[in-house]
Amino acid sequence: MSDGLHPAVVSAQPSQRDEKNPDAPLFEGEYQDRLEKILSRYPFKRAALLPVLNMAQQVRGWISPDTIKRVAEILELSPAYVRSVASFYTMFQLRPAGKYLIQVCTGIGCDLCGAEDVVEGLLKATGTRIGETSADGKYTVVEVECLAGCGFPTMVQINDRMYENVKAEDVEGLLKELD
Amino acid sequence: MNDEKKLLNVTIDGVELEVPAGTTILAAAERVGAVIPRYCYHPGLSAPAVCRMCLVEVEGAPKPLASCVQPVQDDMVVHTNTAQARKARRAAVEFLLMNHPLDCPICDAAGQCELQDYAFETGQLKTRYVEPKLVMGRDKVTPEIVYFADRCILCTRCVRFMDEIAKDPVLVVINRGQRGYIDTMTGELFENPFSINIVDVCPVGALVNEDFLFKARAWDLDQTASICPGCSQGCNVSLGTKEERIVRAKPRFNPEVNSYWMCDHGRKTVINWGAGARIEVPMARDGDELKPVDWPQALDALSEAIGNEPGRARAIVSAGASNESLFTLRRLMEELGSDGGVFRVPTGPEAELPGFPKLKLRRDRVPNAKGAELLGFQRSDAVFDSAQGHRGALFVLEDTLEGAPDGFGTNAELFVYIGTRLNPAARSADIVLPSTTFAEMAGTFTNFEGRVQRFEQALRGPGLARPWWLTGSALLERLGAGGRYRTAAEVFAALASEVSEYEGLNYEVLGLKGAGAPGSSAAATAG
Ligand code: SF4
Ligand code: SF4
Ligand code: FES
Ligand code: FES
């Protein structure tokens, strides 16, 4: 990767949001097997909430109210409780995001090294506000707390790909890279 | 079992005491009068220890301990108010106030807010936080409860009430940290017959009842111990009154009846009870007209009419009338020869509070059906039938006469209406006497299980209105039929000596938590 942008972790399962069908069947076929495997690992159903949510997000791209209800049913929890837990973690998308979900770390390490400027640059370049999806449906920029790469500030995660040492002036190249 | 009974020694702020094993430091401290500040702890709910406000110093412990969950250990030495404990609490308050709007001047909770109290007590009057505050706004969570997210301290008392007591886990914390707020599954409004208890448990002004919003300042309210008239459960309540009006009712703790809770229907009933145009003066018939008269004239007219021997007495009474008023009417009817009295009971669907199943919004939506029954009045679905063609004396005590047939009472030789509202059917009465509501007098109700409970006077009655027992006993005295009662307590004493179910009870025994009549199912639990 050029311009000093290093893709750090490349996910085994690239998750481009637009490839996901938000109404895809949950917990069917191979996912049914995975669900059973997950459940078998925990002493009680509630304990499986995070991995099950994670899987649902992989299938559907985001955690919709319908997904919450389904997960609640399967794990015998109240839907409100599932929403509460899902909302605690910034990794769960409770709103549909654009094709590229851009998560900028504004944790203490990155913040001290100019994360605010990176956020500002991204918002300007994509013409959005925090959490909004750009008009062309391509970009959603959100702030997150600590992407566990504090040694390489500012950390940015775009879909499942991590970028280290992002500076405000890298923003343009970064976005170009995506297309 | 033996373990639980074991007593432990503990020293709290220099006071030594013994408490049963399992007692928390917070509960033990209360026994020596040390009230440890708390937010997430509520005596009616589980303790999650999330607020860190109740930290105390324990000798030998490396850091302050959360007293709401920390059980006392043998020979523990606790200091609730040392520099270390105060510093820990001050830090907790400082964090809570970081994004708090401090809009006390327009906040409903001001004056009864635990955040205000403890912020003041810990003495840090200025924040060191200089960033702009996070603003989140407000939203409704039920059709009548507004949630001010910025004031919320995320103590989760409301969440736990809905989960543990209402067993309807609709409320949760959304997000985390300073962006956290309380919401339902999709932000939709929820409805639950006990929802307004979340307003009571909220230690700050985050959850407020629209019914009360911006109506009064907490410190302007007078509080009076009373009983909810909404159903036969008889929840103990405290009436908040201002300028001769009830502005709210809050539950008053009674472990035998309602614990810390009450239902929403009850709150509304309390506020609306006696609303609308009232009868303010006694009236006596003069030809075709009812003319206002003063009390001596009214009593003259009444004793004269009774002296003319109008015949045997029948009555329609309200099961919302106090035992004292019902008893007084019974005495008067006995003077004339009683032909019996009836009362009707409006009903509605029952609703149980699952986390405290003793408390149900009962089907009988009146407070004193049991009391009326014990005094010999009969429950009836057709109260007007027996009274309609009655030719003797007819008394109506506080029944509204709504739905009375045309010409009701016109056959009676003497028709006396005692009540608060002059419905058309009451206009054919010969004598109309204004009486007071439960909030405007002292008295007792007997709840569904026979528990007798006192309520105190919170308001002045309008105009010349008086409790019927006062009027009635003056009349009895004139008729030479017994002594005059000066207080509701005296009437009750007379009642208790005549009605076996109330034997041994008096206002002192009843106190403000009530007692079961001997022989009734409540007797065993009377406290
Ligand atoms: S709304 Fe009130 S009771 Fe509920 S969490 Fe916030 S402060 Fe606590
Ligand atoms: S349960 Fe009955 S007595 Fe208790 S608050 Fe509700 S209406 Fe009033
Ligand atoms: S603070 Fe940004 S990765 Fe940890
Ligand atoms: S009251 Fe003890 S931690 Fe909240």
Side-chain angles (χ1 to χ4, degrees):
Chain A
M1 197 142 300
S2 55
D3 304 329
L5 302 173
H6 309 291
V9 181
V10 181
S11 166
Q13 290 175 307
S15 62
Q16 297 279 311
R17 310 280 141 185
D18 63 344
E19 288 166 5
K20 310 271 172 176
N21 172 5
D23 301 318
L26 276 179
F27 315 126
E28 282 178 18
E30 66 165 304
Y31 292 107
Q32 164 88 42
D33 300 341
R34 272 177 69 186
L35 173 67
E36 266 153 34
K37 205 169 201 175
I38 291 172
L39 289 177
S40 72
R41 269 194 252 131
Y42 296 94
F44 43 88
K45 286 186 166 175
R46 191 170 84 158
L49 181 51
L50 288 184
V52 170
L53 278 173
N54 202 12
M55 187 171 95
Q57 177 157 295
Q58 274 184 21
V59 176
R60 290 186 162 179
W62 68 294
I63 306 286
S64 65
D66 176 65
T67 305
I68 290 178
K69 282 183 193 140
R70 291 291 313 284
V71 170
E73 250 167 54
I74 282 178
L75 301 182
E76 290 160 20
L77 298 167
S78 82
Y81 179 79
V82 174
R83 179 185 173 211
S84 171
V85 171
S87 73
F88 186 91
Y89 299 96
T90 48
M91 299 79 140
F92 292 122
Q93 292 304 309
L94 291 172
R95 274 182 287 179
K99 180 173 177 185
Y100 300 109
L101 174 65
I102 305 172
Q103 307 185 51
V104 187
C105 173
T106 51
I108 184 72
C110 297
D111 201 52
L112 288 173
C113 297
E116 290 298 318
D117 297 338
V118 177
V119 172
E120 211 172 288
L122 279 164
L123 292 180
K124 217 168 175 188
T126 58
T128 59
R129 287 184 299 187
I130 288 285
E132 275 182 6
T133 299
S134 58
D136 56 8
K138 265 170 107 175
Y139 308 108
T140 307
V141 182
V142 296
E143 292 179 353
V144 295
E145 302 289 322
C146 197
L147 289 172
C150 315
F152 315 97
T154 292
M155 286 296 294
V156 174
Q157 180 180 355
I158 302 180
N159 293 347
D160 284 351
R161 190 170 280 232
M162 313 293 276
Y163 297 84
E164 298 171 346
N165 294 322
V166 180
K167 306 269 170 284
E169 57 268 26
D170 299 332
V171 163
E172 217 172 306
L174 185 63
L175 292 182
K176 235 183 239 150
E177 190 89 9
L178 295 174
D179 292 319
Chain B
M1 265 337 283
N2 275 341
D3 253 12
E4 267 175 43
K5 295 224 176 76
K6 206 177 141 199
L7 290 179
L8 305 175
N9 287 312
V10 55
T11 309
I12 297 178
D13 294 346
V15 185
E16 278 181 48
L17 72 157
E18 281 191 332
V19 295
T23 309
T24 61
I25 297 177
L26 185 140
E30 259 166 20
R31 301 226 332 233
V32 300
V35 179
I36 299 170
R38 77 286 300 267
Y39 291 124
C40 64
Y41 171 84
H42 182 286
L45 304 171
S46 69
V50 294
C51 75
R52 318 314 286 175
M53 191 58 206
C54 65
L55 295 174
V56 295
E57 187 177 336
V58 176
E59 282 184 16
K63 54 181 188 164
L65 300 180
S67 62
C68 66
V69 288
Q70 183 65 52
V72 165
Q73 278 153 20
D74 213 11
D75 296 327
M76 212 179 216
V77 182
V78 179
H79 305 282
T80 69
N81 211 7
T82 49
Q84 189 206 39
R86 279 201 306 271
K87 192 175 159 211
R89 296 204 290 262
R90 183 181 309 155
V93 170
E94 191 176 13
F95 275 121
L96 288 175
L97 290 181
M98 247 173 63
N99 282 305
H100 193 88
L102 289 173
D103 55 348
C104 312
I106 53 154
C107 177
D108 253 30
Q112 58 179 25
C113 171
E114 293 168 45
L115 189 57
Q116 251 184 348
D117 293 349
Y118 300 146
F120 191 74
E121 196 179 296
T122 54
Q124 174 148 345
L125 300 180
K126 276 214 163 134
T127 177
R128 292 176 292 167
Y129 183 72
V130 293
E131 320 298 326
K133 293 193 177 199
L134 202 69
V135 178
M136 295 203 283
R138 63 166 119 158
D139 203 357
K140 281 193 163 181
V141 289
T142 79
E144 51 223 340
I145 301 174
V146 188
Y147 172 63
F148 288 77
D150 298 309
R151 294 178 188 155
C152 176
I153 59 171
L154 293 177
C155 69
T156 70
R157 282 190 197 176
C158 56
V159 173
R160 280 172 286 135
F161 174 81
M162 290 313 297
D163 184 15
E164 297 165 8
I165 309 296
K167 303 249 193 259
D168 182 10
V170 286
L171 287 182
V172 286
V173 180
I174 300 297
N175 294 343
R176 62 164 192 247
Q178 59 176 1
R179 294 192 179 91
Y181 63 95
I182 300 295
D183 202 359
T184 54
M185 162 56 200
T186 54
E188 81 283 9
L189 305 186
F190 76 92
E191 282 185 64
N192 182 287
F194 294 92
S195 65
I196 300 175
N197 290 300
I198 65 174
V199 173
D200 296 339
V201 296
C202 184
V204 297
L207 288 167
V208 298
N209 187 347
E210 257 196 340
D211 231 21
F212 183 68
L213 191 59
F214 305 138
K215 285 247 174 76
R217 310 305 330 227
W219 57 85
D220 282 340
L221 298 185
D222 291 318
Q223 305 287 348
T224 309
S226 189
I227 300 297
C228 171
C231 81
S232 58
Q233 175 78 19
C235 288
N236 291 207
V237 298
S238 171
L239 301 181
T241 54
K242 186 189 167 193
E243 287 157 8
E244 296 302 319
R245 285 189 37 214
I246 303 175
V247 286
R248 72 176 176 196
K250 292 235 176 221
R252 188 160 55 83
F253 178 66
N254 187 331
E256 302 301 334
V257 182
N258 57 306
S259 184
Y260 300 93
W261 326 116
M262 71 184 288
C263 80
D264 296 2
H265 165 80
R267 298 183 203 248
K268 275 170 225 153
T269 310
V270 168
I271 291 179
N272 296 330
W273 197 273
R278 292 281 299 270
I279 309 175
E280 298 196 1
V281 289
M283 288 178 273
R285 179 155 302 283
D286 183 358
D288 279 349
E289 259 185 284
L290 274 175
K291 287 246 170 79
V293 294
D294 61 20
W295 275 111
Q297 287 169 324
L299 289 182
D300 285 347
L302 196 50
S303 43
E304 193 189 314
I306 288 174
N308 290 340
E309 302 190 349
R312 294 174 76 82
R314 278 193 194 167
I316 298 178
V317 301
S318 157
S322 72
N323 286 323
E324 291 72 8
S325 287
L326 291 168
F327 175 71
T328 307
L329 183 67
R330 170 171 131 164
R331 290 280 309 276
L332 183 62
M333 289 169 69
E334 280 163 357
E335 281 310 300
L336 289 159
S338 175
D339 238 0
V342 289
F343 63 91
R344 52 178 166 174
V345 177
T347 55
E350 189 176 274
E352 187 186 80
L353 183 59
F356 185 76
K358 267 187 209 172
L359 170 54
K360 287 192 180 82
L361 165 59
R362 305 268 162 190
R363 276 177 52 74
D364 289 356
R365 298 293 168 83
V366 286
N368 204 24
K370 180 83 178 181
E373 229 162 66
L374 291 177
L375 284 166
F377 296 94
Q378 264 163 33
R379 181 176 178 140
S380 159
D381 290 332
V383 283
F384 299 119
D385 288 3
S386 70
Q388 180 64 338
H390 181 61
R391 299 192 173 278
L394 175 63
F395 292 91
V396 175
L397 174 62
E398 287 165 19
D399 185 288
T400 57
L401 289 186
E402 232 145 60
D406 281 350
F408 174 82
T410 44
N411 289 328
E413 184 64 29
L414 169 65
F415 174 11
V416 182
Y417 185 79
I418 308 147
T420 57
R421 265 172 291 179
L422 199 60
N423 275 327
R427 289 178 195 274
S428 45
D430 299 302
I431 295 174
V432 172
L433 303 174
S435 71
T436 48
T437 69
F438 79 102
E440 297 158 358
M441 64 197 280
T444 58
F445 290 142
T446 305
N447 84 349
F448 74 101
E449 56 177 349
R451 185 182 186 86
V452 192
Q453 307 192 96
R454 282 171 57 191
F455 48 86
E456 303 262 274
Q457 177 174 0
L459 304 172
R460 272 199 304 268
L464 299 182
R466 286 180 179 180
W468 157 249
W469 63 260
L470 190 62
T471 316
S473 72
L475 189 67
L476 284 165
E477 191 189 33
R478 280 192 186 216
L479 299 173
R484 178 166 190 171
Y485 307 121
R486 271 162 229 85
T487 63
E490 286 177 16
V491 188
F492 188 82
L495 181 165
S497 67
E498 251 182 60
V499 183
S500 64
E501 283 85 351
Y502 296 112
E503 207 187 307
L505 296 182
N506 58 47
Y507 268 31
E508 224 173 303
V509 172
L510 294 181
L512 285 176
K513 295 244 189 277
S520 83
S521 55
T525 58

